[in-house]
Amino acid sequence: MTVFKKHVFICVSGKTCPGEGAEAVLGEFRKEIGDLGLKKEIRINKAGCFDQCGNGPLVVVYPDTVWYAHVQPEDVKEIVNEHLLNDRPVTRLIYDERGRTNR
Ligand code: FES
């Protein structure tokens, strides 16, 4: 069994993320990782509420413990290329301890 290099969790339930487009973000991540042939290295998982409602879609990447907020489908390619493939988190989308992003 393979241990994933990166594990991406996308909140698709709870009060707000579903209405903020979380399923579209999930679909885009799955498409990108599938197109790149990386399903054995990078796992994309649905997640429940992260208790940060109103800032979604919320995405969390492990083992880096990087949180992203207000992620849109058009942001996914950048997160994949920069963070998941090259370990450079996308700072403009990072959700910090103050509950903010640089967006
Ligand atoms: S609904 Fe996504 S963080 Fe609560």
Side-chain angles (χ1 to χ4, degrees), residues 17-38:
C17 286
E20 294 168 325
E23 285 286 348
V25 172
L26 172 76
E28 198 63 27
F29 268 107
R30 287 192 165 156
K31 179 183 179 305
E32 282 294 318
I33 296 307
D35 287 351
L36 292 167
L38 295 172

Side-chain angles (χ1 to χ4, degrees), residues 53-68:
C53 305
N55 295 291
L58 252 293
V59 174
V60 183
V61 178
Y62 289 106
D64 312 324
T65 320
V66 170
W67 290 50
Y68 293 115

Side-chain angles (χ1 to χ4, degrees), residues 4-8 41-43 61-62 64 83-84 87:
F4 300 111
K5 290 181 180 169
K6 300 283 189 199
H7 211 148
V8 181
E41 297 175 48
I42 298 172
R43 179 77 168 179
V61 178
Y62 289 106
D64 312 324
H83 187 169
L84 303 184
D87 288 317

